[in-house]
Amino acid sequence: MTFSMRDLDEALQGCGQKSGIEIWRIENFKPVTVPKESHGKFFTGDSYIVLKTAASRSGSLHHDIHYWLGKDSSQDEAGAVAIMTVELDSALGGRAVQYREVQGHETEKFLSYFKPCIIPQEGGVASGFNHVKPEKHQTRLYICKGKHVVRVKEASQLTVPFARSTLNHDDVFILDTESKIFQFSGSNSSIQERAKALEVVQYIKDTYHDGKCDIAAVEDGRLMADTEAGEFWGLFGGFAPLPKKSALRDHQTAESDGLKLSSVEKGQTKPIEAESLQKELLDTNKCYILDCGLELFVWKGRQTSIDQRKSASKAAEELFRSSVRPKSNLVSVMEGFETVMFRSKFDSWPATSAVAEPQHGRGKVAALLQRRGVNVQGLVKTSSSSSKDEPKPYIDGTGNLQVWRINREEKIPLEAAEQSKFYSGDCYIFQYSYPGEDREESLVGTWLGKQSVEEERASAISMASKMVESMKFMPAQGLLLARIYEGKEPIQFFVIMQSFITFKGGLSDAFKKYIVENEVPDSTYDAEGVALFRVQGSGPENMQAIQIEAVSTGLNSYYCYILHGDSTVFTWRGNLTSSDDQELMERMLDLIKPNENTKAQKEGSESEQFWKLLGGKSEYPSQKIKKDGESDPHLFSCTFSNENLKVTEIFNFTQDDLMTEDIFILDCHTEIFVWVGQQVDPKKKPKSLAIGEKFLKHDFLLENLASETPIYIVTEGNEPPFFTRFFTWDSSKSAMHGNSFQKKLAILTNKGKPLVDKPKRRVPVYSSRSSFPDKSQPRSRSMTSTPDRARVRGRSPAFNALAANFENIGTRNQSTPPPMVSPLVRKLYPKSLAPDLTPRSAAFAARTALFEKSRPTPQETPSSLGPAEATNEAEAPKTTEDESMSSIREDSKEEEEEEAEEEGSSLPTFPYERLKTDSEDPPPSDIDLRRREAYMSSAEFKEKLEMTKSEFYKLPKWKQNKLKMAVHLF
């Protein structure tokens, strides 16, 4: 017998069709809808059905059904509501997970729906209680327990309510009086518990006082001398020492005697004897009960009838009635949709394999025709349509990039043209700086090739960690550490690199030593040899070329390829590629084999020479390579001690769940974030990466996480947009100082607003993914006509000039300049392309002109130069410092002399010694003291400037960096 939606009670019909929570209260064994404004309000004498509907990223709906039993509800009502949930599950498709919730022992998942807490009220429908709000406020005492979700119990439900003996050193208590709410924190309670209890204080204030009452925090041990403490203890008849042991006696749940599996047949349970729990013990035609002591599971086979499922639920309820554990939870699951907790009880559980969706309509016809060699272009959706589903990078693409290749213990900087060309046998460190909301953000990461040796992987991670540590003391710097493996790169990495090429083999000494010792053929890329590249990506600023084995089986109808060998370059496009894919191939060709003639090959009409380079023609796939999709995120609180990792999942998480004393992991399946609070033990912070690797190893969600999954280390206050997008984020909260309790108390006592008010996060700059710019237009900065041209990443002309005097020619600046040129920089650089908004003297402009490099006018920018001119310009940074300075002097000499002569005719000159602030013979008082340098002779000004520059390079490196940063801030 099947159960459809129309077979349900009228109140339940049509439910579960959109995301959200729906609640029904059981009245006379009938469900009655609870209005939204009453959600979270429960009565001890009633039973409720709570349906949580959530939409996954794929668009499908997932359901969780909870039935909540008040402490005063009847057993008959409990049995009836259990049957209703079985019927509701069947009507929704049989895939929902059902939970039995008992007052005071609810699951954390259930409590997370009603944050910060639920406070059941006395009464219910059966008792005839009419739930009238009392006219006079009643003083109440609440006990709060829980670090992540709060379980609130009113003291009136205890044997000895509202007495000094109720208090203890272990818990947090809330005393709600008519004019003031007191929070009393036991000396043994944690900071996190105190912070969570403050959320309950806010809830009580808003719910029972209309937001109008005072709040006082009282700490255990604070004596009567404190005004608020004295007022608190006065309500208990005065201060007295608290008992060492709590007077509270919660119901003790029976301990487990081991796992017991029983089948349910005709309402009776039959034990299953087995040495270990295996998935094969479960028959799809039966229902089973798994008794874990602390909780019970009901497993329903797909082929069971609704009557069998009802019978299993009744048997589970009978088990609760006949045992000494009526407060245990019950979870009911359907075959194929088991929870992680249920699967973890078994010694072996086969990994769930992804089932390919069947092809229908045009897609199925196209696949058949394609296998017969028919051109099916236009019959199916091509990759351009799927590019809309490409995840957003949530990172600014206009920053500054530096890359180093690791050679044992050495970092070798890469030239700009080589920064996005990686070898599979090597490891790399990259630093990407980009403008954030109110400061510069930096992402330091490692890229570990598939063929790289373990020695260099460890060196890369160690050096990257030290880089981040050394940068922590730099002003206005947000830091992030990433560990990335080849083949598992996140979208942010590709946007940073833009045109990314992966070559086979390696250049490092360790790799060469490895292939010699293990007698492995050296497959390192040879520009003159035979090489095959697969081109993929979603746009000009997110494209990759990956070198693969040069064999025909490496081809795929969904991709474009570049093949070179025997002095010939081929391009090959599959029949299922789009024009956008072909455009990417043309752009990548400019980087791999620029300025060379190519022979275009179309699938099905290849030349013999093409197949000869690939070793002959053979069968190849015509299916798009599947990438791991981003799943719904899961947040975990982590405890790491003695190399053991313990995690607790935080359901329906918000930013407020990130406690500054803890480490959290945000699992998105394709990547994980390790969030480290500011108040975390300093000894544990360096273990953040190890915690992330442990998490991947244990795979707590049993989702087949790869050990190579990207890991980001995020510190509190430095959260990037691609992390905060999973929250409703308020950056001012993460900027507040103090522990979790102090932060929340500050917000609570400041009318709900953080004390630190920061501007909203800057919106990142994203490039369009839907189409490509016209070829007649200037190319993207990621696409150059020659691989020797350095990429420009948003540096202002003024900053380039200033940086040139503090850097060795040919190296890249480690920080991104501010988006606007400050007035001080404009004064120093009168030739800046930015408009000059401040006055300056011609003499001062002349004397500072030697800082300026000659630069093309806007009409002569690199994008409009010819190939030869562009090449020459790209090679300009490679000149020596002396040559550069000589060129600067020659270019500015004539202008300098003219302006100096003009200025000299109007201003007197004085020796440097007289212009010094501590001079015993100062110049006349009528000169402009703010422009002392304008009164120096041109020759003396140059001499002093050269001396200053020479002294600068004698400073220690850290002082040089500090001065650079100071200039950057201006």
Side-chain angles (χ1 to χ4, degrees):
M1 173 186 175
T2 58
F3 214 85
S4 65
M5 188 65 73
R6 60 188 176 187
D7 296 322
L8 292 173
D9 187 280
E10 185 177 351
L12 297 173
Q13 291 182 10
C15 66
Q17 302 305 307
K18 60 181 180 179
S19 297
I21 294 178
E22 298 169 86
I23 304 177
W24 298 266
R25 184 175 63 192
I26 307 305
E27 299 182 7
N28 298 321
F29 299 97
K30 291 284 187 179
V32 176
T33 303
V34 175
K36 285 189 176 181
E37 57 269 21
S38 296
H39 284 190
K41 185 182 293 183
F42 296 89
F43 292 92
T44 61
D46 291 335
S47 299
Y48 296 80
I49 295 176
V50 177
L51 173 63
K52 177 68 164 66
T53 304
S56 65
R57 292 184 178 272
S58 63
S60 60
L61 295 177
H62 172 77
H63 302 98
D64 286 313
I65 305 173
H66 305 256
Y67 60 99
W68 186 87
L69 307 175
K71 68 181 182 65
D72 299 326
S73 61
S74 66
Q75 291 185 350
D76 290 340
E77 196 172 74
V81 73
I83 297 302
M84 290 182 196
T85 59
V86 174
E87 295 175 347
L88 177 59
D89 172 37
S90 182
L92 291 171
R95 299 181 178 184
V97 180
Q98 302 165 46
Y99 300 85
R100 180 182 188 266
E101 310 283 357
V102 180
Q103 180 183 341
H105 299 269
E106 297 88 353
T107 62
E108 292 195 357
K109 190 170 195 176
F110 178 81
L111 292 174
S112 70
Y113 301 154
F114 308 103
K115 290 182 178 180
C117 66
I118 60 173
I119 304 178
Q121 302 179 26
E122 293 292 331
V125 174
S127 65
F129 186 71
N130 56 10
H131 316 311
V132 176
K133 186 176 182 180
E135 295 181 2
K136 186 178 180 180
H137 182 85
Q138 297 179 2
T139 299
R140 299 177 185 273
L141 180 66
Y142 301 95
I143 302 96
C144 301
K145 295 176 179 286
K147 181 179 176 180
H148 304 297
V149 293
V150 188
R151 302 179 189 275
V152 180
K153 181 179 292 186
E154 189 176 342
S156 61
Q157 302 170 14
L158 303 176
T159 308
V160 186
F162 195 19
R164 189 190 298 110
S165 60
T166 305
L167 304 176
N168 62 67
H169 298 293
D170 300 323
D171 299 316
V172 180
F173 296 81
I174 295 174
L175 182 61
D176 177 21
T177 68
E178 185 174 2
S179 60
K180 184 177 287 188
I181 303 175
F182 297 87
Q183 174 172 316
F184 175 82
S185 303
S187 58
N188 296 331
S189 62
S190 67
I191 295 295
Q192 296 92 325
E193 289 177 309
R194 301 179 188 186
K196 279 297 178 182
L198 279 176
E199 296 180 6
V200 179
V201 171
Q202 180 72 63
Y203 171 78
I204 293 174
K205 177 181 177 181
D206 295 339
T207 305
Y208 301 109
H209 297 267
D210 297 325
K212 300 175 182 177
C213 73
D214 295 329
I215 293 171
V218 180
E219 292 185 19
D220 188 5
R222 187 182 296 181
L223 302 180
M224 297 286 289
D226 184 274
T227 305
E228 292 178 341
E231 187 179 354
F232 172 79
W233 288 113
L235 295 170
F236 289 89
F239 174 79
L242 298 180
K244 292 184 178 180
K245 294 185 178 180
S246 172
L248 304 179
R249 290 291 183 268
D250 288 342
H251 179 84
Q252 298 296 320
T253 306
E255 294 187 2
S256 174
D257 294 329
L259 303 179
K260 300 177 182 178
L261 182 66
S262 304
S263 63
V264 181
E265 299 178 14
K266 297 181 180 180
Q268 300 298 318
T269 59
K270 180 181 178 182
I272 304 295
E273 300 295 336
E275 293 183 0
S276 62
L277 280 182
Q278 305 290 332
K279 204 261 184 187
E280 290 72 21
L281 295 173
L282 304 177
D283 186 350
T284 187
N285 297 299
K286 295 181 180 180
C287 293
Y288 296 83
I289 294 178
L290 179 61
D291 185 355
C292 304
L294 300 176
E295 57 190 342
L296 265 67
F297 291 93
V298 173
W299 185 88
K300 301 164 292 187
R302 284 189 180 181
Q303 303 302 320
T304 56
S305 66
I306 189 171
D307 289 332
Q308 287 177 285
R309 299 171 191 176
K310 288 181 179 180
S311 179
S313 293
K314 287 181 180 179
E317 283 293 334
E318 286 294 332
L319 198 59
F320 285 127
R321 295 178 189 177
S322 60
S323 66
V324 293
R325 50 178 183 187
K327 306 299 183 183
S328 296
N329 296 111
L330 171 67
V331 181
S332 181
V333 297
M334 175 65 71
E335 179 184 4
F337 301 93
E338 298 86 354
T339 63
V340 173
M341 188 60 69
F342 177 81
R343 285 182 283 158
S344 66
K345 304 296 182 183
F346 288 74
D347 294 331
S348 64
W349 193 277
T352 54
S353 57
V355 180
E357 294 184 6
Q359 290 181 306
H360 300 285
R362 292 193 301 171
K364 188 174 182 179
V365 173
L368 292 172
L369 294 175
Q370 199 278 334
R371 283 196 291 269
R372 297 180 181 179
V374 179
N375 185 350
V376 295
Q377 192 168 7
L379 290 179
V380 295
K381 291 182 179 180
T382 57
S383 59
S384 61
S385 63
S386 62
S387 65
K388 298 179 181 179
D389 300 328
E390 189 81 17
K392 290 184 178 180
Y394 292 93
I395 191 170
D396 194 303
T398 61
N400 188 47
L401 177 67
Q402 285 183 294
V403 182
W404 297 266
R405 179 172 59 81
I406 304 303
N407 189 28
R408 298 190 183 277
E409 299 295 329
E410 181 185 4
K411 287 194 317 180
I412 301 176
L414 300 186
E415 295 292 334
E418 304 297 318
Q419 287 182 345
S420 60
K421 299 177 181 180
F422 288 13
Y423 284 81
S424 185
D426 294 335
C427 295
Y428 297 81
I429 294 177
F430 63 90
Q431 179 185 338
Y432 181 65
S433 303
Y434 59 99
E437 57 179 23
D438 59 351
R439 65 181 176 189
E440 181 176 85
E441 307 282 353
S442 285
L443 170 59
V444 177
T446 59
W447 184 91
L448 312 177
K450 288 181 178 179
Q451 298 174 285
S452 61
V453 298
E454 193 61 38
E455 170 193 347
E456 289 196 335
R457 293 182 181 184
S459 294
I461 293 174
S462 175
M463 283 189 268
S465 300
K466 290 178 181 178
M467 284 179 62
V468 171
E469 193 65 28
S470 65
M471 295 168 63
K472 284 183 178 179
F473 303 102
M474 297 179 69
Q477 188 81 34
L479 297 172
L480 184 69
L481 177 64
R483 188 220 65 181
I484 298 170
Y485 277 91
E486 178 187 356
K488 292 288 184 178
E489 299 91 347
I491 182 68
Q492 292 84 13
F493 177 82
F494 288 138
V495 170
I496 290 172
M497 295 296 169
Q498 299 187 349
S499 52
F500 184 64
I501 304 174
T502 306
F503 296 111
K504 296 178 71 66
L507 304 177
S508 69
D509 294 339
F511 174 78
K512 294 176 180 178
K513 179 182 178 182
Y514 171 81
I515 61 176
V516 170
E517 291 180 348
N518 293 272
E519 299 181 354
V520 177
D522 187 358
S523 58
T524 301
Y525 172 70
D526 181 4
E528 303 302 322
V530 178
L532 178 66
F533 295 87
R534 182 179 70 243
V535 179
Q536 60 191 39
S538 60
E541 297 193 4
N542 172 20
M543 54 183 181
Q544 307 92 50
I546 303 171
Q547 185 183 0
I548 61 176
E549 290 293 333
V551 292
S552 57
T553 54
L555 300 176
N556 190 313
S557 301
Y558 269 95
Y559 296 92
C560 294
Y561 293 79
I562 297 171
L563 172 67
H564 69 72
D566 292 344
S567 302
T568 307
V569 180
F570 291 96
T571 60
W572 185 88
R573 58 185 179 91
N575 286 333
L576 298 179
T577 59
S578 67
S579 58
D580 288 349
D581 296 324
Q582 296 162 28
E583 174 69 13
L584 288 184
M585 177 179 65
E586 292 294 331
R587 290 172 177 269
M588 275 300 183
L589 190 62
D590 288 344
L591 298 178
I592 297 174
K593 285 292 182 179
N595 305 322
E596 291 198 22
N597 295 326
T598 61
K599 295 183 179 180
Q601 306 286 300
K602 184 179 179 182
E603 183 177 9
S605 58
E606 299 87 352
S607 65
E608 291 186 6
Q609 186 184 6
F610 175 83
W611 291 120
K612 183 179 179 181
L613 282 178
L614 293 178
K617 184 177 180 180
S618 60
E619 292 291 327
Y620 52 83
S622 58
Q623 295 179 344
K624 200 171 184 67
I625 298 175
K626 185 179 179 181
K627 296 181 180 179
D628 291 336
E630 190 176 77
S631 63
D632 296 320
H634 296 264
L635 183 68
F636 297 88
S637 172
C638 301
T639 304
F640 189 66
S641 61
N642 299 324
E643 302 302 317
N644 293 321
L645 178 63
K646 180 181 179 182
V647 300
T648 303
E649 183 169 3
I650 312 298
F651 299 99
N652 298 293
F653 59 84
T654 65
Q655 181 183 355
D656 290 334
D657 290 313
L658 298 174
M659 296 289 189
T660 187
E661 298 79 16
D662 292 333
I663 295 176
F664 291 83
I665 288 181
L666 184 66
D667 176 10
C668 307
H669 186 69
T670 55
E671 56 196 359
I672 69 170
F673 298 85
V674 181
W675 185 90
V676 184
Q678 294 288 2
Q679 300 286 326
V680 169
D681 184 349
K683 295 180 180 179
K684 294 183 179 179
K685 287 185 178 181
K687 299 179 180 179
S688 302
L689 184 58
I691 290 174
E693 291 174 339
K694 282 274 186 182
F695 182 87
L696 294 176
K697 180 180 179 181
H698 288 290
D699 193 13
F700 290 97
L701 290 179
L702 303 179
E703 54 182 341
N704 300 321
L705 276 177
S707 59
E708 298 84 10
T709 300
I711 300 175
Y712 292 100
I713 308 299
V714 182
T715 55
E716 183 180 10
N718 297 316
E719 297 86 354
F722 50 91
F723 173 83
T724 58
R725 67 189 178 101
F726 297 105
F727 302 80
T728 301
W729 195 260
D730 182 355
S731 58
S732 60
K733 288 183 178 180
S734 61
M736 294 181 70
H737 300 292
N739 60 40
S740 299
F741 174 74
Q742 293 168 339
K743 289 181 179 181
K744 296 206 173 184
L745 184 61
I747 294 175
L748 192 58
T749 55
N750 196 42
K751 299 182 180 180
K753 297 181 180 179
L755 295 179
V756 178
D757 187 18
K758 291 181 65 179
K760 292 183 178 180
R761 183 171 290 278
R762 177 181 182 273
V763 178
V765 179
Y766 309 123
S767 58
S768 173
R769 297 283 185 263
S770 58
S771 60
F772 299 126
D774 186 77
K775 277 192 172 183
S776 62
Q777 300 298 323
R779 287 192 166 190
S780 163
R781 59 186 171 82
S782 63
M783 282 309 305
T784 55
S785 59
T786 168
D788 293 329
R789 182 184 299 173
R791 288 187 290 170
V792 179
R793 288 184 169 265
R795 291 172 55 156
S796 68
F799 188 81
N800 281 329
L802 180 60
N805 287 274
F806 290 106
E807 295 177 339
N808 292 327
I809 303 300
T811 61
R812 303 183 64 170
N813 188 23
Q814 293 189 8
S815 59
T816 304
M820 298 295 295
V821 182
S822 70
L824 180 58
V825 174
R826 295 180 191 276
K827 288 181 180 180
L828 291 174
Y829 302 99
K831 291 185 180 181
S832 171
L833 294 182
D836 188 1
L837 302 178
T838 58
R840 69 182 185 277
S841 71
F844 185 64
R847 290 177 173 85
T848 55
L850 58 89
F851 279 92
E852 287 289 324
K853 291 185 179 181
S854 60
R855 62 171 63 84
T857 63
Q859 291 78 22
E860 298 174 347
T861 54
S863 59
S864 59
L865 296 176
E869 295 170 298
T871 304
N872 293 335
E873 182 184 355
E875 294 174 351
K878 297 181 180 179
T879 60
T880 65
E881 183 176 349
D882 292 340
E883 292 171 347
S884 177
M885 293 301 296
S886 175
S887 175
I888 292 170
R889 292 191 182 97
E890 290 175 2
D891 292 342
S892 61
K893 182 176 181 180
E894 183 178 348
E895 180 182 354
E896 180 184 340
E897 291 176 350
E898 292 176 358
E899 293 183 350
E901 182 180 355
E902 178 184 351
E903 183 69 15
S905 62
S906 58
L907 292 176
T909 58
F910 300 94
Y912 171 73
E913 295 299 327
R914 292 190 64 187
L915 291 171
K916 293 171 61 177
T917 56
D918 58 350
S919 174
E920 296 180 357
D921 181 22
S925 58
D926 58 343
I927 73 167
D928 189 350
L929 297 178
R930 296 171 299 176
R931 301 169 52 234
R932 295 172 186 267
E933 68 281 349
Y935 297 89
M936 293 173 59
S937 66
S938 177
E940 191 171 18
F941 181 86
K942 290 180 182 179
E943 179 185 356
K944 293 299 179 184
L945 184 62
E946 290 297 329
M947 289 176 58
T948 302
K949 185 176 177 183
S950 175
E951 290 172 0
F952 170 80
Y953 284 113
K954 293 179 182 178
L955 294 174
K957 196 66 177 179
W958 67 271
K959 282 192 177 181
Q960 292 184 27
N961 290 335
K962 193 171 183 179
L963 287 173
K964 289 180 187 178
M965 182 55 64
V967 173
H968 164 63
L969 289 176
F970 281 108

